[in-house]
Amino acid sequence: MTGVTGPSPTLGSARAGGPPPPDRRRFLTAGAAVLGAAASAQLWLPAVARAAETPLPDGVFSLGVASGDPLPDGIVLWTRLAPDPLNGGGVPDRVVSVEWELAADERFRKSVRRGLAQARPEYGHSVHVDVRGLHPDRTYWYRFRAGGQLSPAGRTRTAPHPDSRGGALRIALASCQNWQHGYFTPYADLLEQDPDVVLFVGDYIYESSPSATAVRQHEGKGEPYTLEQYRNRYAQYRTDPDLAAVHAHVPWVVTFDDHEVDNDFAGEVPQDPDKQSHDAFVARLTAAYQAYYEHMPVRATAVPDGPHIRMYRRLEFGRLVRLNVLDTRQFRSDQATTQEGAESPSRTMLGAEQKQWLLDGLHDSPARWNLVASQIMMAETDLQTGPGKLWFYDAWDGYQAERNALLEEFKTVRNPVVLSGDRHLTMISDLKEDFADPGSAVVGAEFVGTSISSNGDQDQAAFHAEWDPLKPDNPHWKVIDAHRGYHLLDVRRDGIDAEVRVVDTVVKPEATPSTLARLRVEAGRPGVEVV
Ligand code: FE
Ligand code: CA
């Protein structure tokens, strides 16, 4: 669904500032195809040769580099030119040619691919290069050059060969990084743990207004509504050094939740319909999705079409892992307001099309592990101690008929595990076929990966005083905790070994990390156990 007019912002188009010289045109029409050595040498020109053709302000690579959505033979490389990141970017309003290079070594002596991409003003001078023809399960290094300036080097990794059955995949599950609630200290530890991929399940930015009492303040004067305001907010987040370092070191697989647009929105319904007309909210969605695409290392399939963006997709890691990434925001019915409403079969979370896509992908899967990346928690949270139940209506509990039907399907899916965020808590649970029946079968496991910084440093005693009394009402919970951090999952054929990695603080730029809990999901045995 690329409804944009004009060429795609990915590489392969030759119109960068007038017609290219003949030998360059010959290369450019080949897109990301293998280059001849002569053409490569032409492209990676010395800085001085290109300076006259693309004069740019200093510091065009202030937002760093990133990679994402690894394939067995491909990877998306990302950067965005922004010498003045918090004020619209600062690149002159014209197309800028950006050279990119991918190498087999850290020092770029063994160059593998080179090319020229266009940073277009209508995409905020972002660059998305979808490199193909690479080797599976291989580490590569990449960098960009524009206007004589060289980007920091990034490291990335392709997915294993489609037929590869064994091996291990280390996934870091992260979500919810509120700039104002703290520094992104868990990322310093995440970098040390050297995962193969970071799975980020939403709330990459928060749209809240600057707060004078925050640990560090949001830029701007209020919530973002326009494209430039969203760009500035993303750019501010990217200036966090721990976040930037992880982007430059590991490929990410991302999806958005609500705060990338507006708290608790559902489809085209905003949080406060009284404060934003439908037309105004559609314009806001358009700006928010556009800025999201511009800042994420995702394929051209995610180029927004007005107020629509295609984010649900599958990634395969050999025959070990199939990762189904969901979009639980864009196609959902508006939230229930009563317990009865939460149980209504008329309410959908995924929409008919995505739901069928998910079921097909779960049942047809050749993979040992079928992971579902859901922004929001799937296991029940009963908030009422003793008889009776009380649910959060924004999570899957508010869409019970569809959730329960999906859990029923899980019985015939090979090793389903759900990876979620949103809750700003670690909540690790068995998934039950029917949460209303305490004796019902366990059909899977769920990891809700706390938050990077959202909710800040919580009072752990107060958390447990409030939540521990709910444990008898939620016997499927294995770990609940309120530290900031992320989850690390080592997936192998025989099982998943998971660690809850937490930090002692996010109100200072540096923190002490530790392992809060270790868990195991055994292949062929649904559910999760603390070890
Ligand atoms: Fe959040
Ligand atoms: Ca209860």
Side-chain angles (χ1 to χ4, degrees):
M1 52 192 274
T2 50
V4 289
T5 53
S8 148
T10 52
L11 84 160
S13 181
R15 282 155 296 164
D23 53 349
R24 185 172 284 189
R25 178 183 290 133
R26 182 166 53 81
F27 156 70
L28 287 165
T29 51
V34 181
L35 296 177
S40 306
Q42 281 289 333
L43 272 164
W44 202 250
L45 295 171
V48 65
R50 287 181 323 273
E53 122 195 19
T54 53
L56 292 170
D58 286 345
V60 288
F61 293 109
S62 66
L63 302 183
V65 299
S67 69
D69 278 16
L71 301 174
D73 69 337
I75 192 79
V76 176
L77 308 180
W78 175 94
T79 192
R80 180 183 163 223
L81 309 182
D84 192 6
L86 303 192
N87 294 293
V91 176
D93 186 21
R94 59 179 168 78
V95 176
V96 177
S97 297
V98 179
E99 292 167 89
W100 59 270
E101 179 180 26
L102 185 95
D105 68 313
E106 205 169 349
R107 309 178 88 174
F108 291 88
R109 288 191 177 142
K110 296 174 203 144
S111 191
V112 174
R113 292 281 188 287
R114 290 163 172 169
L116 197 61
Q118 293 181 319
R120 306 184 68 88
E122 61 269 35
Y123 287 100
H125 291 103
S126 63
V127 175
H128 296 76
V129 182
D130 193 352
V131 187
R132 300 295 177 99
L134 303 177
H135 291 293
D137 210 14
R138 197 69 69 86
T139 299
Y140 292 99
W141 286 262
Y142 61 95
R143 61 186 179 182
F144 300 89
R145 195 196 290 263
Q149 298 175 46
L150 192 62
S151 78
R155 193 192 76 153
T156 191
R157 190 166 182 83
T158 49
H161 190 280
D163 296 334
S164 115
R165 303 182 66 85
L169 185 73
R170 171 166 277 199
I171 301 171
L173 170 66
S175 63
C176 294
Q177 47 189 30
N178 192 320
W179 178 271
Q180 298 200 128
H181 290 183
Y183 296 89
F184 302 159
T185 57
Y187 282 130
D189 176 60
L190 191 155
L191 188 72
E192 293 285 305
Q193 302 300 326
D194 196 21
D196 295 302
V197 65
V198 173
L199 174 62
F200 192 91
V201 293
D203 290 357
Y204 191 96
I205 59 160
Y206 282 72
E207 85 287 19
S208 48
S209 300
S211 158
T213 57
V215 176
R216 47 181 184 171
Q217 252 184 298
H218 272 150
E219 56 69 49
K221 293 193 166 63
E223 291 191 15
Y225 290 88
T226 67
L227 177 54
E228 179 162 325
Q229 288 167 344
Y230 276 107
R231 280 175 178 159
N232 292 344
R233 187 59 60 88
Y234 278 97
Q236 180 181 37
Y237 275 59
R238 276 290 168 87
T239 62
D240 181 280
D242 292 316
L243 174 62
V246 175
H247 272 300
H249 193 76
V250 189
W252 287 44
V253 172
V254 300
T255 187
F256 62 86
D257 193 24
D258 53 339
H259 288 284
E260 284 87 348
V261 181
D262 182 32
N263 183 40
D264 282 357
F265 82 97
E268 293 185 357
V269 182
Q271 178 183 25
D272 302 308
D274 299 344
K275 291 183 191 160
Q276 290 171 78
S277 70
H278 180 258
D279 284 357
F281 190 64
V282 167
R284 190 180 194 185
L285 280 171
T286 303
Y289 290 154
Q290 174 75 24
Y292 185 74
Y293 169 74
E294 289 174 0
H295 291 84
M296 294 298 137
V298 290
R299 298 214 143 72
T301 50
V303 173
D305 179 8
H308 309 287
I309 185 170
R310 169 73 184 235
M311 285 306 292
Y312 70 82
R313 63 203 189 281
R314 267 191 269 284
L315 291 133
E316 317 276 350
F317 296 87
R319 297 181 68 142
L320 183 67
V321 166
R322 168 170 277 190
L323 175 59
N324 302 276
V325 181
L326 301 186
D327 174 346
T328 58
R329 282 290 153 197
Q330 227 178 151
F331 310 105
R332 66 156 75 191
S333 317
D334 197 13
Q335 287 88 348
T337 51
T338 62
Q339 290 292 105
E340 216 170 47
E343 293 181 289
S344 165
S346 67
R347 202 163 249 109
T348 182
M349 177 65 86
L350 300 176
E353 200 179 312
Q354 181 180 198
K355 187 176 156 194
Q356 194 56 52
W357 166 89
L358 176 61
L359 292 178
D360 292 346
L362 290 171
H363 290 304
D364 299 350
S365 174
R368 181 76 157 181
W369 296 93
N370 289 285
L371 308 185
V372 177
S374 166
Q375 292 84 343
I376 43 145
M377 184 162 168
M378 191 171 284
E380 181 174 88
T381 305
D382 176 8
L383 295 161
Q384 185 169 316
T385 49
K389 288 179 187 279
L390 179 63
W391 299 306
F392 284 123
Y393 301 137
D394 185 60
W396 279 94
D397 275 344
Y399 300 77
Q400 298 218 356
E402 192 164 296
R403 191 266 312 272
N404 294 348
L406 184 57
L407 292 176
E408 176 82 25
E409 299 276 349
F410 273 14
K411 286 195 293 184
T412 52
V413 173
R414 197 180 301 120
N415 297 313
V417 176
V418 178
L419 306 174
S420 312
D422 176 59
R423 193 54 65 83
H424 306 172
L425 297 172
T426 283
M427 300 190 97
I428 300 172
S429 306
D430 285 342
L431 292 171
K432 307 284 281 287
E433 185 186 346
D434 178 5
F435 285 104
D437 170 11
S440 90
V442 175
V443 296
E446 179 178 45
F447 293 82
V448 179
T450 184
S451 68
I452 292 295
S453 66
S454 303
N455 283 26
D457 290 352
Q458 271 185 261
D459 179 335
Q460 303 299 320
F463 164 77
H464 285 290
E466 185 184 346
W467 285 78
D468 286 359
L470 290 165
K471 284 180 174 175
D473 297 85
N474 296 275
H476 48 281
W477 290 349
K478 298 301 175 76
V479 177
I480 57 168
D481 182 77
H483 284 85
R484 306 287 70 89
Y486 67 97
H487 295 182
L488 200 60
L489 297 104
D490 283 314
V491 188
R492 297 184 192 83
R493 280 193 74 74
D494 64 334
I496 298 177
D497 291 299
E499 273 185 61
V500 178
R501 294 290 295 174
V502 298
V503 292
D504 61 339
T505 185
V506 293
V507 304
K508 292 182 291 182
E510 280 168 34
T512 304
S514 61
T515 295
L516 179 102
R518 290 177 200 276
L519 299 105
R520 169 94 175 164
V521 183
E522 204 69 47
R525 194 190 310 155
V528 55
E529 298 299 336
V530 177
V531 294

